[in-house]
Amino acid sequence: MFVALAKKIFNFSSLTVRLVVLVNALLIVGGVGQIFLFGSYMRNDMVAVSSSQLQAMAHHVAEDIDRDIICRRDFLQALASHAPRQMPVDASAWRAWVGGFLGIGNLFPGGIRLVDESGRLLARDPTFPEPVDDLPVDADLIARAIQNGFAADLPGKGEQVSAPVLEMAVPIRDQGGQVRGLLIGMTPLRSSSFFGAFTSTRIGKTGDLILVSSRDDVLMTASETDVVLHPLPLKSRDSLYGKGVTPSQGVGIDMRADGVRELAATAAVPTLGWSVVARVPTREIFASVDYLESFILQTALAACVVISVFLVFSVRHLLRHLRYAASHADQMTLAKIPFESLPVARDDEVGHLTKAFNRLLATLLASRADLDYLAHHDDLTGVANRKQFNDSLDGYLARARRQGKGLALLYLDLDGFKPINDSFGHEAGDEVLRHVARRLAKVTRKGDLLARFGGDEFVLLISDLHDIAAEAALVARKCETALVSPISYKGHNLHVGLSIGIARFPIDGQTAEELLARADHAMYRAKRGKVRLA
């Protein structure tokens, strides 16, 4: 049952199904086209807008970090310029020297240390009452500070550190330019007064900021309360943050080490040679576009369902007269109903088709009537032909048996026809045959049957006879009398006669074959005996 229903519903020979499929295909193609074109445009637009926003954030954070670094660098350099003349200094001189500057404002919550060129501790920040472990100073930091006048480093950069500290170093020089020591300032990166924009700036729901030191192979991530130091991912896995990326400005879509595609914008921190990267996963950027595409697709599918239902009912309603016409035409071809014109319900395409069908049907019926007439009548004389006579004879015999009445069959052969044909041609012979047929038809009673058997032979079947012999003889004489007067043809009077053979039912035979044979034999006997009637 369900299979049959499915075949009926999805019958692609149906105009309704094909129209529904076509409309649905157009809707789906239109929806997909909208998704492709509109989605592509929206994605490009979202990337452009997000890129501009990310670049602005990266610049803002980079500038904020750079200001913080410059401020602390200037503080250390000012402190170094007021260093005591005697080195190393004693505790009282250190407190007097450093304490005056710390009163202005301590920019290094992690403390300030004085070390020599080898990194040996000479003095520490007097604000720390408790002694702290002496942290080793990186020799590379000391070398870069002496060479450049300032340097910064991240202790623990080779492994993940949950509480990173930034060390800044400036050299102390005498009047001759000789290095007498170095000031090392330490600032925790999670300090509220340091990297404020880096720790407080949020990007969307899943985006973030990272600070990259490609020279040190480290990156930092920040939350609202903490900064965490990570080893830099492998260059081959995360090319955006590899050493090949110099501190510069730029924006683009890249693949993170964890396989997430993201849009990232970079901005340089010139003082440190670092880069700030503002990044956000593309899935968040395109979330609204994905929702819109999904909405368009769902709308298109819903429209397909609604329009399909509407088309099925509307098309079936519009074509109901066409289906009615097709059904009636089928029944006519199966002979279940007679051939008849179909009613014209509307003056539209269906109505025009119905009218055309009716005209075609009328033409076919007329042609059928002509063919039927030609199949049962002699095309020269218009009387019945041998086929119609043979088809009708059995019916006449059956009626005679039912009614108990007689029937006579007259076989007529023209005398003098061949000389006319030979002398005046076949055209004259045809004209004589037509005249003979018309004259014989005039003496034939209603209900009798006159037929031409071929050539110059005719057969006349008369029924409902009581006195068979007398009534048959009377009809035969009328036939002879009908041909007494000449037939005029192109100024010539042509004369023909009749040789008539009579067979009577049921006296001379019981079947059509017997009667025809008896009448034919009687006609030849009449012609040989030079008599008109036998």
Side-chain angles (χ1 to χ4, degrees):
M1 176 180 177
F2 292 106
V3 174
L5 181 61
K7 289 183 178 179
K8 183 177 181 180
I9 294 175
F10 297 102
N11 180 16
F12 284 92
S13 62
S14 169
L15 179 62
T16 303
V17 172
R18 283 185 284 177
L19 184 60
V20 169
V21 171
L22 175 62
V23 172
N24 284 334
L26 291 176
L27 286 174
I28 292 174
V29 170
V32 172
Q34 285 185 3
I35 290 174
F36 179 78
L37 297 176
F38 186 71
S40 177
Y41 170 79
M42 287 293 294
R43 278 181 167 80
N44 293 334
D45 189 61
M46 294 295 289
V47 167
V49 173
S50 300
S51 298
S52 177
Q53 294 175 345
L54 289 177
Q55 249 180 341
M57 290 182 183
H59 275 289
H60 169 70
V61 173
E63 290 173 357
D64 183 76
I65 293 174
D66 207 47
R67 281 194 301 269
D68 286 346
I69 299 299
I70 291 173
C71 180
R72 282 157 180 77
R73 181 197 63 186
D74 292 347
F75 179 86
L76 287 178
Q77 288 177 344
L79 184 60
S81 66
H82 290 81
R85 295 181 180 181
Q86 299 296 326
M87 285 289 176
V89 296
D90 56 24
S92 60
W94 168 264
R95 283 192 294 271
W97 168 34
V98 177
F101 278 88
L102 294 180
I104 299 174
N106 190 358
L107 299 178
F108 295 96
I112 300 175
R113 292 179 292 164
L114 177 63
V115 299
D116 60 14
E117 290 182 72
S118 65
R120 184 172 59 88
L121 179 66
L122 300 177
R124 67 167 55 92
D125 189 343
T127 59
F128 281 82
E130 299 290 335
V132 296
D133 294 335
D134 293 334
L135 298 176
V137 181
D138 189 8
D140 180 64
L141 175 66
I142 295 175
R144 287 188 288 112
I146 293 174
Q147 180 181 357
N148 300 322
F150 172 76
D153 204 352
L154 294 166
K157 61 190 176 184
E159 57 189 37
Q160 181 166 323
V161 179
S162 59
V165 176
L166 180 64
E167 287 185 333
M168 299 181 189
V170 296
I172 301 174
R173 299 180 185 274
D174 59 16
Q175 292 180 349
Q178 295 296 318
V179 176
R180 296 185 294 164
L182 295 98
L183 288 174
I184 309 296
M186 300 178 65
T187 302
L189 296 183
R190 63 183 178 185
S191 171
S192 60
S193 62
F194 192 45
F195 283 17
F198 180 64
T199 58
S200 62
T201 302
R202 303 270 73 82
I203 304 176
K205 295 180 180 180
T206 58
D208 61 358
L209 288 167
I210 60 173
L211 186 59
V212 181
S213 174
S214 51
R215 179 180 61 82
D216 297 322
D217 284 344
V218 294
L219 61 82
M220 285 169 281
T221 58
S223 64
E224 293 182 356
T225 59
D226 203 359
V227 176
V228 181
L229 193 65
H230 305 271
L232 191 69
L234 293 175
K235 285 74 173 178
S236 59
R237 295 283 302 278
D238 207 349
S239 60
L240 181 62
Y241 315 128
K243 273 193 172 181
V245 179
T246 57
S248 61
Q249 301 175 7
V251 63
I253 295 178
D254 206 343
M255 185 74 72
R256 284 189 350 203
D258 56 4
V260 176
R261 286 181 62 83
E262 64 181 7
L263 177 66
T266 61
V269 182
T271 305
L272 295 179
W274 293 354
S275 296
V276 173
V277 180
R279 62 182 187 173
V280 63
T282 53
R283 64 173 177 265
E284 180 176 336
I285 297 175
F286 299 144
S288 59
V289 180
D290 293 338
Y291 174 79
L292 183 59
E293 289 178 344
S294 176
F295 177 78
I296 292 175
L297 183 59
Q298 292 175 9
T299 302
L301 293 177
C304 286
V305 174
V306 173
I307 292 178
S308 297
V309 174
F310 173 77
L311 282 176
V312 168
F313 284 100
S314 60
V315 172
R316 288 181 65 85
H317 177 74
L318 291 173
L319 299 181
R320 66 188 187 279
H321 298 293
L322 186 60
R323 293 199 309 274
Y324 172 82
S327 174
H328 270 59
D330 287 339
Q331 294 184 51
M332 290 179 194
T333 56
L334 296 174
K336 293 182 178 180
I337 60 175
F339 287 98
E340 59 183 1
S341 297
L342 299 173
V344 180
R346 297 196 306 262
D347 189 20
D348 56 6
E349 289 79 0
V350 176
H352 295 166
L353 180 61
T354 305
K355 292 177 182 177
F357 174 81
N358 289 339
R359 290 193 295 271
L360 177 61
L361 180 62
T363 303
L364 291 176
L365 290 177
S367 300
R368 179 181 178 182
D370 293 341
L371 292 174
D372 185 69
Y373 180 85
L374 292 175
H376 294 86
H377 291 79
D378 179 56
D379 57 348
L380 177 64
T381 62
V383 299
N385 59 15
R386 181 188 290 267
K387 182 179 185 306
Q388 183 179 358
F389 183 85
N390 291 334
D391 293 342
S392 303
L393 182 54
D394 289 334
Y396 274 86
L397 291 173
R399 188 176 65 182
R401 291 190 187 99
R402 288 195 306 270
Q403 297 177 352
K405 295 182 179 180
L407 182 147
L409 191 153
L410 280 64
Y411 211 114
L412 314 175
D413 184 78
L414 296 182
D415 296 330
F417 178 74
K418 188 175 184 302
I420 295 174
N421 230 7
D422 294 340
S423 301
F424 297 98
H426 291 290
E427 184 177 348
D430 291 344
E431 184 66 22
V432 169
L433 290 174
R434 283 191 285 267
H435 275 276
V436 169
R438 286 195 293 269
R439 293 183 182 182
L440 292 176
K442 290 180 180 179
V443 302
T444 301
R445 303 176 306 166
K446 184 178 180 181
D448 295 340
L449 179 62
L450 175 65
R452 181 188 175 201
F453 259 34
D456 59 349
E457 294 179 347
F458 292 84
V459 176
L460 177 60
L461 184 63
I462 54 179
S463 59
D464 297 331
L465 302 179
H466 298 282
D467 187 350
I468 303 174
E471 293 182 55
L474 177 62
V475 173
R477 285 193 292 273
K478 288 183 178 180
C479 292
E480 288 179 333
T481 303
L483 298 183
V484 170
S485 61
I487 298 172
S488 177
Y489 175 75
K490 294 183 178 180
H492 300 279
N493 290 324
L494 306 179
H495 295 270
V496 291
L498 284 175
S499 293
I500 303 174
I502 302 175
R504 299 161 296 177
F505 171 82
I507 301 170
D508 298 324
Q510 297 290 322
T511 65
E513 291 79 7
E514 292 174 349
L515 291 174
L516 280 170
R518 182 65 177 268
D520 183 57
H521 179 72
M523 184 271 295
Y524 278 106
R525 187 158 49 85
K527 187 176 285 288
R528 286 195 302 270
K530 304 300 182 182
V531 295
R532 299 296 182 186
L533 184 63

